Short mmCIF file of all heavy atoms in Angstrom, two decimals:
data_model
loop_
_atom_site.label_atom_id
_atom_site.label_comp_id
_atom_site.label_asym_id
_atom_site.label_seq_id
_atom_site.Cartn_x
_atom_site.Cartn_y
_atom_site.Cartn_z
N THR A 9 -8.75 8.64 5.69
CA THR A 9 -8.25 8.34 7.04
C THR A 9 -8.14 6.82 7.27
O THR A 9 -7.32 6.37 7.92
CB THR A 9 -9.29 9.09 8.07
OG1 THR A 9 -9.32 10.40 7.84
CG2 THR A 9 -8.81 8.67 9.47
N GLU A 34 7.40 9.40 9.55
CA GLU A 34 8.23 9.42 8.41
C GLU A 34 7.76 8.41 7.40
O GLU A 34 7.83 8.65 6.19
CB GLU A 34 9.68 9.17 8.86
CG GLU A 34 10.71 9.26 7.73
CD GLU A 34 12.12 9.01 8.24
OE1 GLU A 34 12.34 8.96 9.42
OE2 GLU A 34 13.11 8.79 7.40
N GLY A 54 -8.55 -0.81 20.26
CA GLY A 54 -7.82 -1.96 20.59
C GLY A 54 -6.92 -2.56 19.47
O GLY A 54 -6.28 -3.53 19.66
N VAL A 56 -4.24 -0.95 18.32
CA VAL A 56 -2.92 -0.53 18.57
C VAL A 56 -2.76 -0.41 20.04
O VAL A 56 -3.68 -0.02 20.77
CB VAL A 56 -2.57 0.91 17.87
CG1 VAL A 56 -1.28 1.45 18.42
CG2 VAL A 56 -2.48 0.63 16.32
N GLU A 63 7.31 4.47 24.99
CA GLU A 63 6.31 5.33 24.07
C GLU A 63 6.29 4.73 22.67
O GLU A 63 5.86 5.40 21.77
CB GLU A 63 6.79 6.77 24.02
CG GLU A 63 6.73 7.40 25.42
CD GLU A 63 6.83 8.99 25.28
OE1 GLU A 63 7.35 9.46 24.36
OE2 GLU A 63 6.47 9.62 26.34
N LYS A 64 6.64 3.49 22.52
CA LYS A 64 6.58 2.83 21.18
C LYS A 64 5.24 2.25 21.05
O LYS A 64 4.62 1.74 22.01
CB LYS A 64 7.73 1.78 21.09
CG LYS A 64 9.09 2.42 20.77
CD LYS A 64 10.10 1.31 20.31
CE LYS A 64 11.43 2.00 19.95
NZ LYS A 64 12.34 0.94 19.39
N HIS A 80 -8.14 -18.93 10.71
CA HIS A 80 -9.02 -20.13 11.07
C HIS A 80 -10.00 -20.42 9.89
O HIS A 80 -10.39 -21.51 9.77
CB HIS A 80 -9.74 -19.91 12.37
CG HIS A 80 -8.95 -20.07 13.57
ND1 HIS A 80 -8.37 -21.34 13.82
CD2 HIS A 80 -8.55 -19.27 14.65
CE1 HIS A 80 -7.71 -21.28 15.00
NE2 HIS A 80 -7.77 -20.05 15.47
N ALA A 96 0.37 -29.72 -11.35
CA ALA A 96 0.05 -30.73 -12.38
C ALA A 96 0.31 -30.25 -13.81
O ALA A 96 0.76 -30.96 -14.67
CB ALA A 96 -1.44 -31.15 -12.23
N VAL A 107 -3.39 -35.58 4.21
CA VAL A 107 -3.20 -35.25 5.62
C VAL A 107 -2.92 -36.58 6.40
O VAL A 107 -3.25 -37.62 5.87
CB VAL A 107 -4.51 -34.64 6.18
CG1 VAL A 107 -4.74 -33.23 5.51
CG2 VAL A 107 -5.77 -35.53 6.05
N ILE A 116 -6.81 -36.34 0.11
CA ILE A 116 -7.98 -35.48 0.16
C ILE A 116 -8.23 -34.64 -1.09
O ILE A 116 -9.23 -34.00 -1.32
CB ILE A 116 -8.07 -34.58 1.40
CG1 ILE A 116 -6.85 -33.65 1.39
CG2 ILE A 116 -8.12 -35.42 2.72
CD1 ILE A 116 -6.87 -32.57 2.53
N GLY A 143 3.58 -39.20 3.30
CA GLY A 143 3.63 -39.61 4.61
C GLY A 143 5.01 -39.27 5.27
O GLY A 143 5.09 -38.71 6.42
N MET A 147 5.83 -36.91 8.45
CA MET A 147 6.47 -37.53 9.61
C MET A 147 7.87 -36.88 10.00
O MET A 147 8.26 -36.91 11.09
CB MET A 147 6.63 -39.06 9.42
CG MET A 147 5.36 -39.74 9.65
SD MET A 147 5.61 -41.59 9.75
CE MET A 147 6.44 -41.73 11.34
N TYR A 167 6.66 -53.37 1.20
CA TYR A 167 5.79 -53.45 0.07
C TYR A 167 6.56 -53.78 -1.15
O TYR A 167 6.00 -54.44 -2.16
CB TYR A 167 4.95 -52.17 -0.03
CG TYR A 167 4.01 -51.95 1.02
CD1 TYR A 167 4.28 -51.39 2.18
CD2 TYR A 167 2.68 -52.51 1.01
CE1 TYR A 167 3.38 -51.10 3.31
CE2 TYR A 167 1.76 -52.47 1.98
CZ TYR A 167 2.05 -51.72 3.10
OH TYR A 167 1.24 -51.52 4.19
N ILE A 190 12.34 -31.80 1.30
CA ILE A 190 11.66 -32.61 0.24
C ILE A 190 11.79 -34.11 0.61
O ILE A 190 12.87 -34.59 1.16
CB ILE A 190 12.48 -32.46 -1.11
CG1 ILE A 190 12.04 -31.06 -1.73
CG2 ILE A 190 12.06 -33.54 -2.12
CD1 ILE A 190 10.65 -30.91 -2.22
N PHE A 209 2.71 -26.40 6.25
CA PHE A 209 2.54 -25.97 7.65
C PHE A 209 1.51 -24.85 7.78
O PHE A 209 1.13 -24.17 6.94
CB PHE A 209 3.95 -25.35 8.10
CG PHE A 209 5.11 -26.23 7.99
CD1 PHE A 209 5.88 -26.20 6.84
CD2 PHE A 209 5.44 -27.12 9.01
CE1 PHE A 209 7.03 -27.03 6.69
CE2 PHE A 209 6.47 -27.90 8.87
CZ PHE A 209 7.26 -27.97 7.77
N THR A 225 8.34 -43.96 -12.45
CA THR A 225 9.62 -43.67 -11.90
C THR A 225 10.55 -42.94 -12.88
O THR A 225 11.18 -41.98 -12.49
CB THR A 225 10.31 -44.91 -11.36
OG1 THR A 225 9.52 -45.49 -10.39
CG2 THR A 225 11.62 -44.69 -10.77
N GLN A 232 14.15 -34.79 -11.75
CA GLN A 232 14.01 -34.73 -10.28
C GLN A 232 14.27 -33.31 -9.81
O GLN A 232 13.55 -32.83 -8.97
CB GLN A 232 14.94 -35.74 -9.66
CG GLN A 232 14.90 -35.71 -8.11
CD GLN A 232 15.74 -36.76 -7.51
OE1 GLN A 232 16.42 -37.56 -8.15
NE2 GLN A 232 15.87 -36.81 -6.15
N GLY A 251 -0.83 -18.82 6.64
CA GLY A 251 -0.30 -17.99 7.72
C GLY A 251 1.06 -18.40 8.24
O GLY A 251 1.50 -17.88 9.29
N VAL A 253 4.97 -18.74 8.85
CA VAL A 253 6.15 -17.96 8.79
C VAL A 253 7.25 -18.96 9.12
O VAL A 253 7.24 -19.59 10.19
CB VAL A 253 6.21 -16.79 9.72
CG1 VAL A 253 7.53 -16.10 9.67
CG2 VAL A 253 5.05 -15.83 9.45
N VAL A 259 8.49 -28.58 15.81
CA VAL A 259 8.27 -30.03 15.65
C VAL A 259 6.96 -30.34 16.41
O VAL A 259 6.71 -29.91 17.46
CB VAL A 259 9.37 -30.71 16.36
CG1 VAL A 259 9.16 -32.26 16.33
CG2 VAL A 259 10.77 -30.54 15.54
N LEU A 261 4.57 -32.04 18.55
CA LEU A 261 4.72 -32.88 19.68
C LEU A 261 3.35 -33.61 19.91
O LEU A 261 2.31 -32.95 20.33
CB LEU A 261 5.07 -32.14 20.90
CG LEU A 261 6.46 -31.41 20.87
CD1 LEU A 261 6.74 -30.59 22.12
CD2 LEU A 261 7.60 -32.39 20.54
#
Side-chain angles (χ1 to χ4, degrees):
T9 301
E34 183 178 350
V56 168
E63 296 188 345
K64 285 190 174 184
H80 279 300
V107 295
I116 60 174
M147 281 191 74
Y167 291 89
I190 286 292
F209 302 93
T225 298
Q232 182 176 355
V253 177
V259 175
L261 302 176

